[in-house]
Amino acid sequence: MLDSNSVQVTVLSDELGVAFGTSGVRGLVVDLTPELCFAFVTSFLQEVCPNTTHVAVGIDLRPSSPEIAKSVLFAIESYGAKATYCGTLPTPALAFYAMQNAMPSIMITGSHIPFDRNGIKFYRPDGEISKADEASIMNGQVSVPSDLVKNTSERVLPVTDAVAIDLFKTRYTSLFPTTLLNGKRIGVYEHSSVARDVIKILLTHFGADVVSLERTETFVPIDTEAVSEEDKLKGLDWAKTHNLDAIISTDGDGDRPLISNEKGEWLRGDILGVLCADYLNATHVAAPVNVNTALELRKPERKVLRTKIGSPYVIAGMEALLLENKEEAPEARIVGYEANGGFLVGSDFDVNNQTLHALPTRDSILPALIVLAMSQEQTKPISQLTDDFPERYTASDRIKDIPTETSRQLISELKNSKMKQVQLLTAIEKEDEELEVVSIDETDGLRMTLSNGDIVHLRPSGNAPELRCYAESSDLQKSDDIVEKILLSCR
């Protein structure tokens, strides 16, 4: 490469409308050009991992991911480092392999967002990059070779190295007995999840009778935090038709789980997180502000740190808890989770006399296996695992294709105007009820606690032009109704 052009990542990013979201770089596929991808990866290596000699790379099943991978691999090689191409695998599998081998990793994935979009997630040798790292990457000045397009267009992806996925399987096969799921009939909603095959392999290893459900070769954007009505009906139908004990699925890159009970009812991610924290006997939990308050109500003695929404903030919260308790409580058992079901392990745990190593990034496999293990060990169906939980129910949904600035303006008006708050709350008031906002939490967006104890939370999505609404109430149907009516009023 004799010629090159010097570019600043933030300038190129602004020109193409591609930027960091709540987790990783996200943008339209047409805007994720070879130049932009090369620039982001080079800046990551220069600014965050300058001494690296080896990088692990993986992709999801989006049709655009292999082409993006070519630019990523070229950037790594141009930097002078070696790349291990791990092919299609879940994001946590790639991250775990890289962390265990003290190397950075790069995952090409758009997670759950529509197939016309994609993205890149970056991991340091010790885990996900921080928001400070994101800023460093954006401010990086890099040299882009003039032969970039020619090189990437002619490039053929290397043969997949299975070392990462094999290590990930061992993480779980070594943790639970092979008889864990004997007698269980479990459906796997495969769609286009990159985790679909490893899930089936693990369930079969543990003795389950596995039923494959709706495998597709086209990409399907599954949002585990806002499950579609269609998928809700599918779950109910599959459970009844196939006589299932559970249904397991994930989002596109396999870091967010979707788990149903024996009735085909999908578990909320924030309740799944509480179950996992209970199973692991976690003493400290970092969780975003939007997750169910059952977390605090269930075990008041458990230390909880509420964060902004997004795995980088949850990871920072776990790190803060670890630092805070390092001297006073070296035995602290630290986890984190999000409303989308992704579960993070912030310290090593002893499980079944085996070590569960820390994995400070979202994982979909561990929470699925934990819930199945709890059901088996307690000899009760999944639907009964939460019978003793406090009656607090959450719901969420979103308005798609709404400009982020429009969402911010709406939230600003609500924050600063009692009249706007009253107008919004009339949509959910019962007859002869006058609701008012008694407290506001601005940790992330606008979270309003109401005079009747219900909670309404609005925020712009960090990944797409969407307005998200979260609600919490003492009644399940009511929380659903609140979300529906509030979003209708915001349109």
Side-chain angles (χ1 to χ4, degrees):
M1 290 174 287
L2 300 176
D3 301 315
S4 63
N5 301 311
S6 181
V7 299
Q8 187 172 25
V9 176
T10 187
V11 173
L12 192 56
S13 173
D14 289 344
E15 287 176 359
L16 294 169
V18 176
F20 282 99
T22 48
S23 179
V25 172
R26 300 287 172 83
L28 290 167
V29 170
V30 295
D31 296 324
L32 290 166
T33 64
E35 181 183 25
L36 181 71
C37 296
F38 184 97
F40 265 109
V41 172
T42 302
S43 188
F44 163 63
L45 297 175
Q46 285 181 181
E47 307 300 326
V48 181
C49 305
N51 298 318
T52 191
T53 58
H54 203 150
V55 184
V57 178
I59 65 173
D60 67 10
L61 293 174
R62 290 168 184 267
S64 57
S65 293
E67 288 303 311
I68 294 174
K70 293 178 183 179
S71 299
V72 170
L73 291 168
F74 185 39
I76 293 168
E77 293 167 9
S78 298
Y79 187 75
K82 179 183 177 183
T84 294
Y85 180 63
C86 301
T88 54
L89 79 171
T91 295
L94 179 75
F96 184 64
Y97 165 73
M99 285 182 232
Q100 291 299 302
N101 288 278
M103 70 174 73
S105 57
I106 298 172
M107 180 73 183
I108 294 99
T109 179
S111 187
H112 66 280
I113 59 178
F115 78 96
D116 63 337
R117 297 171 180 270
N118 209 331
I120 305 174
K121 292 182 179 180
F122 299 96
Y123 292 81
R124 300 182 312 235
D126 60 342
E128 278 190 49
I129 61 172
S130 66
K131 288 298 176 181
D133 292 330
E134 290 179 5
S136 296
I137 293 169
M138 291 296 286
N139 291 327
Q141 190 84 19
V142 304
S143 295
V144 178
S146 57
D147 65 346
L148 172 61
V149 174
K150 180 177 183 295
N151 183 291
T152 54
S153 64
E154 295 176 351
R155 177 175 288 260
V156 176
L157 289 177
V159 175
T160 295
D161 190 327
V163 63
I165 195 66
D166 288 344
L167 180 65
F168 194 57
K169 291 174 192 173
T170 303
R171 172 176 169 83
Y172 298 113
T173 56
S174 65
L175 206 63
F176 299 100
T178 55
T179 57
L180 176 70
L181 302 177
N182 281 0
K184 295 294 183 181
R185 188 169 168 81
I186 302 173
V188 178
Y189 178 17
E190 297 190 30
H191 60 92
S192 53
S193 166
V194 76
R196 59 193 183 185
D197 291 332
V198 70
I199 288 173
K200 291 191 297 181
I201 289 169
L202 287 171
L203 293 178
T204 301
H205 169 84
F206 290 120
D209 178 11
V210 177
V211 179
S212 295
L213 303 166
E214 207 166 288
R215 186 183 183 100
T216 65
E217 297 310 317
T218 55
F219 188 81
V220 180
I222 299 291
D223 187 346
T224 63
E225 191 173 349
V227 181
S228 69
E229 288 302 316
E230 181 184 4
D231 283 330
K232 289 178 183 178
L233 293 174
K234 284 179 181 177
L236 298 173
D237 178 63
W238 287 332
K240 184 177 180 180
T241 301
H242 299 286
N243 190 29
L244 301 174
D245 293 293
I247 305 170
I248 308 298
S249 190
T250 78
D251 65 341
D253 70 322
D255 69 346
R256 305 179 184 192
L258 189 59
I259 303 166
S260 90
N261 60 25
E262 73 283 358
K263 302 174 186 177
E265 300 166 337
W266 301 110
L267 274 64
R268 290 283 309 176
D270 51 2
I271 293 300
L272 179 62
V274 179
L275 286 169
C276 292
D278 285 356
Y279 183 83
L280 294 174
N281 194 25
T283 58
H284 296 72
V285 181
V289 67
N290 64 318
V291 304
N292 198 305
T293 57
L295 174 61
E296 288 91 349
L297 295 172
R298 183 160 171 74
K299 289 189 176 181
E301 73 278 9
R302 187 158 48 198
K303 173 73 174 177
V304 175
L305 177 63
R306 294 284 187 153
T307 73
K308 286 186 176 183
I309 297 170
S311 54
Y313 298 111
V314 175
I315 291 166
M318 290 195 302
E319 290 173 348
L321 288 170
L322 187 63
L323 185 63
E324 178 184 324
N325 295 277
K326 199 167 188 179
E327 294 182 0
E328 296 180 10
E331 72 281 2
R333 301 162 67 88
I334 300 171
V335 301
Y337 68 88
E338 296 184 88
N340 54 42
F343 194 76
L344 307 89
V345 181
S347 59
D348 287 353
F349 283 76
D350 180 64
V351 179
N352 298 323
N353 296 317
Q354 299 293 323
T355 299
L356 173 68
H357 291 289
L359 179 55
T361 193
R362 284 190 302 247
D363 183 16
S364 63
I365 306 297
L366 180 63
L369 292 177
I370 282 178
V371 168
L372 294 172
M374 292 179 79
S375 175
Q376 191 81 317
E377 292 167 10
Q378 296 179 29
T379 61
K380 61 173 62 173
I382 291 174
S383 64
Q384 294 179 17
L385 294 178
T386 56
D387 280 354
D388 61 345
F389 275 41
E391 292 190 346
R392 297 299 293 175
Y393 301 92
T394 53
S396 63
D397 204 347
R398 67 221 192 268
I399 300 174
K400 298 181 181 179
D401 300 318
I402 178 173
T404 301
E405 191 51 46
T406 301
S407 297
R408 288 176 177 159
Q409 180 64 30
L410 184 152
I411 290 171
S412 177
E413 291 174 356
L414 279 171
K415 172 190 170 184
N416 297 306
S417 171
K418 282 283 186 184
M419 185 178 71
K420 291 287 186 182
Q421 294 172 14
V422 170
Q423 289 174 350
L424 182 70
L425 296 181
T426 54
I428 59 174
E429 287 177 342
K430 296 179 180 178
E431 189 175 350
D432 299 326
E433 182 180 38
E434 291 186 9
L435 293 175
E436 63 177 338
V437 176
V438 295
S439 66
I440 285 177
D441 187 328
E442 296 181 68
T443 300
D444 197 339
L446 189 68
R447 187 171 177 85
M448 300 172 285
T449 300
L450 311 184
S451 48
N452 64 353
D454 293 342
I455 297 173
V456 175
H457 182 182
L458 292 167
R459 66 178 280 271
S461 170
N463 295 325
E466 300 173 346
L467 174 65
R468 288 193 175 263
C469 177
Y470 313 86
E472 182 173 321
S473 181
S474 57
D475 179 83
L476 177 59
Q477 185 58 55
K478 189 178 180 184
S479 63
D480 287 333
D481 290 343
I482 289 172
V483 170
E484 181 182 351
K485 292 174 180 178
I486 290 293
L487 287 178
L488 188 62
S489 298
C490 291
R491 292 184 188 274

